[in-house]
Amino acid sequence: MEMLAYLYSPLGMLALSASDAGLHAVRFLDREAPAPTAPADLAVCLQAPYYQLKAYFAGELREFNLVCAPLTGTDFQRQVWAALAGVGHGRTASYLDIAKRLNNPKSVRAVGAANGQNPLPIVWPCHRIVGANGSLTGYAGGLVRKQWLLAFEQPEQQGSLFS
């Protein structure tokens, strides 16, 4: 059974959905959101994602250790999402970098489309993917959030590409 929790972040309210299979989605809520979920009210399947996201936004966590179980995604999308997890905290990669990592350098546009469908932003850090020239490109959560996340991780900047 899918369970929900709401977590306030510096980027607004996040909705987390999970089940015993793992974390299904993290979504930014731009509409009026419910109150944050009290820690005492968290379902067991939401405890790790909730506390790890809190620790990330507190600057105490750089890598997530979660069981992720998205409910959607083609095989190619899942390969792209798995590659996102390899882009380390404070680093960036381009869509071409991801395509090359998948041994398919001609799939740059498809990588971009898959990146935009990422159900687990922040956890699978699609905000770290930039244009080939380093420019900020689209982000499902909005470019303001992407800029914030990249700036937030900037003190840890160690270069580009994968960890």
Side-chain angles (χ1 to χ4, degrees):
M1 174 198 273
E2 187 174 15
M3 306 295 291
L4 293 173
Y6 301 95
L7 171 66
Y8 185 75
S9 80
L11 299 171
M13 191 67 72
L14 298 174
L16 316 176
S17 66
S19 70
D20 290 340
L23 182 64
H24 300 309
V26 174
R27 292 183 312 278
F28 295 104
L29 298 181
D30 289 322
R31 56 178 168 70
E32 188 173 321
T37 304
D41 295 333
L42 284 171
V44 171
C45 61
L46 285 161
Q47 289 176 2
Y50 181 94
Y51 286 113
Q52 286 189 36
L53 280 161
K54 272 187 83 135
Y56 169 82
F57 284 114
E60 300 166 355
L61 180 80
R62 297 190 324 174
E63 282 187 40
F64 292 93
N65 182 17
L66 297 168
V67 175
C68 298
L71 298 176
T72 61
T74 65
D75 287 342
F76 179 78
Q77 287 173 323
R78 289 172 185 259
Q79 288 174 11
V80 170
W81 301 337
L84 296 175
V87 182
H89 186 90
R91 297 174 180 248
T92 59
S94 71
Y95 296 99
L96 178 58
D97 294 328
I98 298 291
K100 286 178 179 178
R101 188 166 178 116
L102 298 176
N103 295 317
N104 191 352
K106 293 183 180 184
S107 67
V108 173
R109 286 181 184 243
V111 165
N115 199 52
Q117 297 297 312
N118 176 9
L120 295 167
I122 305 169
V123 175
W124 289 338
C126 52
H127 62 277
R128 297 178 189 156
I129 310 305
V130 297
N133 63 359
S135 64
L136 295 187
T137 55
Y139 183 62
L143 283 180
V144 170
R145 287 185 176 123
K146 182 172 187 160
Q147 289 172 314
W148 189 95
L149 288 162
L150 290 172
F152 176 68
E153 294 179 354
Q154 188 65 35
E156 302 297 327
Q157 186 73 28
Q158 299 173 11
S160 63
L161 301 179
F162 299 93
S163 56

